[in-house]
Amino acid sequence: MPEATSRNLVTVRQESVKVLNDLAAKRAVNIPALVSDQLVNGRLQKASTGRVWYLNLTYADQRRDVAYQVMQAAVRFPCTRLDPVKGRAVMLWAATVTDQQDAYKKRDDQLSRTPEAHSAQRKASAIVSDVLTKPDAEQGQWFRSGLADACNLDAA
């Protein structure tokens, strides 16, 4: 984070590390070597890679949702169009294992205004409840394969 906005740097780091460690404990993600604030890149936004993640940490810190933003960044679907149940299940699982389920559900509720969306939420919750009963390594495997499974075949 830039020095001017880094007054909460220790807290931002702790929250980021906790989320990454929670996901890594389930063998769901590889921890990046660096998580950097996109703000330091100015107008030239950089794309994250497997080793370096660029997140809007200053903005997330101001909103007090650093952990949620790190969790969301860890969920890297290889497409832009998702199956509504499978995509929600993957996100809900990641949110649950990182203690971000309340923030995730709040955001999902704000976007889910149709009966179909509410049905997808219920189905995703049932899937996640089942996955959470499995050993950590199986949960991680489910997550990793779920990233691709959530993508529609006809997605661009």
Side-chain angles (χ1 to χ4, degrees), residues 1 5 7-9 11-16 19 56-72 98-104 106-107:
M1 295 174 72
T5 63
R7 70 183 178 287
N8 295 331
L9 184 59
T11 302
V12 168
R13 183 182 187 288
Q14 288 171 339
E15 291 180 22
S16 300
V19 168
N56 293 311
L57 295 173
T58 296
Y59 183 57
D61 180 44
Q62 291 168 347
R63 290 187 329 227
R64 292 179 168 48
D65 72 349
V66 170
Y68 180 81
Q69 295 303 319
V70 173
M71 178 279 299
Q72 193 172 40
T98 60
D99 296 323
Q100 297 303 306
Q101 64 271 25
D102 291 341
Y104 172 74
K106 180 180 176 183
R107 284 174 172 83

Side-chain angles (χ1 to χ4, degrees), residues 28-69:
V29 299
N30 293 321
I31 295 177
L34 176 68
V35 176
S36 181
D37 194 341
Q38 191 69 269
L39 187 62
V40 301
N41 298 321
R43 293 184 321 197
L44 302 174
Q45 302 287 293
K46 290 187 179 181
S48 292
T49 66
R51 290 189 39 76
V52 180
W53 293 5
Y54 295 100
L55 307 177
N56 293 311
L57 295 173
T58 296
Y59 183 57
D61 180 44
Q62 291 168 347
R63 290 187 329 227
R64 292 179 168 48
D65 72 349
V66 170
Y68 180 81
Q69 295 303 319

Side-chain angles (χ1 to χ4, degrees), residues 20-149:
L20 293 171
N21 285 341
D22 288 346
L23 291 168
K26 302 280 186 181
R27 300 184 186 147
V29 299
N30 293 321
I31 295 177
L34 176 68
V35 176
S36 181
D37 194 341
Q38 191 69 269
L39 187 62
V40 301
N41 298 321
R43 293 184 321 197
L44 302 174
Q45 302 287 293
K46 290 187 179 181
S48 292
T49 66
R51 290 189 39 76
V52 180
W53 293 5
Y54 295 100
L55 307 177
N56 293 311
L57 295 173
T58 296
Y59 183 57
D61 180 44
Q62 291 168 347
R63 290 187 329 227
R64 292 179 168 48
D65 72 349
V66 170
Y68 180 81
Q69 295 303 319
V70 173
M71 178 279 299
Q72 193 172 40
V75 181
R76 296 172 174 227
F77 293 106
C79 61
T80 56
R81 199 164 157 216
L82 301 174
D83 176 274
V85 173
K86 293 177 182 177
R88 275 186 173 89
V90 169
M91 286 295 297
L92 179 58
W93 177 85
T96 301
V97 301
T98 60
D99 296 323
Q100 297 303 306
Q101 64 271 25
D102 291 341
Y104 172 74
K105 287 179 180 179
K106 180 180 176 183
R107 284 174 172 83
D108 195 35
D109 285 344
Q110 290 170 345
L111 300 173
S112 302
R113 309 239 181 230
T114 66
E116 295 82 7
H118 291 293
S119 174
Q121 285 176 321
R122 286 190 299 277
K123 290 175 183 175
S125 290
I127 291 168
V128 171
S129 291
D130 179 58
V131 171
L132 290 171
T133 66
K134 300 181 184 319
D136 288 352
E138 286 184 41
Q139 290 183 45
Q141 177 58 44
W142 175 86
F143 172 81
R144 290 187 308 276
S145 62
L147 291 171
D149 291 345

